[in-house]
Amino acid sequence: MMAFRWIHVSDFHVDGKDPYERNTVLNALITEIRRRERESFQTDAVFVTGDIAYSGQAKEYQAASAFFDALSAASDLDKTRLFIAPGNHDVDKSVAEGLARTLKSENESVEYFANGKPKYHFNKFKEFQKWYDRYFKDIRKFPKNNTCQPLQRFDANGCLIAVLAINITLCSLPDGKDYNAVWIGRRNLDAAVAELEKALADFSFVLIHHPRRR
């Protein structure tokens, strides 16, 4: 019988304020994972669905790195089994000034996501991207012009696993007013889904931050 076990965490909102309450919760989570590992619950992957930071600032990700290191150690996993999609709080609002909050139509979306066109909205993830590329050095990089990260495949207990992480927050801001305003882009999504289908995985996972999308 094939088995695959995972941990799903999200919405840490790491900020520069007193970390006492946040650390109380996160340390309790680490303690619980260690307890389960001692009881033979072997974790095969960790999925993180965004809002690692509170306002997309470099110092916020420095604190997050320590938690992910502890989480990986408690799960007895390396970084190749840690998968992360960004959230709207991973956006640097100051970089978003002057950029459109959304796209107006499907036709505009098709044009915006055309291959080779500059996509200035990705600049909003500057600090997230720098942290991501540094943290996952020699493993994977955060894409600069595609909302879909390259498909990841690995074997776990005889199961072929496929993981697709999607940046659904390209047009987002940290205020959370994203209803009916966020876009993935069919050009990006269609290609990613085609790769996912070709993988013929036993289990496929798609990671996104919030469910409201078009």
Side-chain angles (χ1 to χ4, degrees):
M1 179 178 177
M2 294 187 296
F4 178 74
R5 301 180 177 91
W6 67 91
I7 294 172
H8 173 214
V9 291
S10 188
D11 292 77
F12 307 105
H13 292 183
V14 175
D15 57 23
K17 299 179 182 178
D18 185 345
Y20 176 78
E21 290 190 7
R22 181 182 69 245
N23 287 345
T24 298
V25 174
L26 297 183
N27 289 338
L29 173 61
I30 297 298
T31 299
E32 176 64 13
I33 292 171
R34 287 176 179 150
R35 182 188 69 80
R36 294 192 178 212
E37 294 292 325
R38 289 195 301 268
E39 295 176 357
S40 300
F41 182 92
Q42 176 57 56
T43 305
D44 296 306
V46 176
F47 301 138
V48 184
T49 51
D51 281 3
I52 296 167
Y54 182 76
S55 57
Q57 302 301 308
K59 62 182 179 182
E60 298 170 342
Y61 294 109
Q62 293 172 6
S65 291
F67 169 69
F68 287 129
D69 287 345
L71 180 59
S72 295
S75 306
D76 195 24
L77 298 173
D78 61 27
K79 293 177 182 178
T80 64
R81 296 291 184 89
L82 174 65
F83 304 93
I84 299 177
N88 56 300
H89 280 270
D90 294 307
V91 167
D92 183 345
K93 185 171 65 173
S94 66
V95 180
E97 293 178 1
L99 294 176
R101 180 62 187 268
T102 188
L103 303 176
K104 299 181 181 67
S105 67
E106 184 67 24
N107 288 338
E108 186 175 352
S109 171
V110 169
E111 178 66 20
Y112 180 83
F113 288 100
N115 292 332
K117 290 197 65 174
K119 298 171 178 61
Y120 301 106
H121 286 75
F122 282 89
N123 294 334
K124 298 191 296 185
F125 299 93
K126 180 179 65 175
E127 294 302 334
F128 174 86
Q129 179 187 334
K130 287 167 59 177
W131 168 79
Y132 186 103
D133 290 353
R134 183 170 58 249
Y135 193 75
F136 291 104
K137 184 179 179 182
D138 299 325
I139 298 174
R140 63 181 80 102
K141 289 187 175 182
F142 186 70
K144 298 180 179 180
N145 58 3
N146 196 310
T147 56
C148 297
Q149 296 182 31
L151 188 68
Q152 304 295 309
R153 307 172 183 85
F154 62 95
D155 180 86
N157 309 317
C159 302
L160 178 59
I161 310 299
V163 181
L164 173 61
I166 299 177
N167 180 1
I168 201 173
T169 60
L170 195 66
C171 294
S172 293
L173 288 176
D175 58 17
K177 298 177 181 179
D178 294 326
Y179 182 74
N180 208 32
V182 299
W183 293 79
I184 300 172
R186 288 189 179 276
R187 288 179 183 268
N188 293 173
L189 187 60
D190 287 350
V193 170
E195 285 295 309
L196 189 61
E197 291 174 345
K198 286 193 299 184
L200 299 176
D202 296 302
F203 297 102
S204 297
F205 295 85
V206 178
L207 311 183
I208 62 173
H209 177 59
H210 40 28
R212 297 190 295 268
R213 69 187 190 281
R214 55 190 313 188

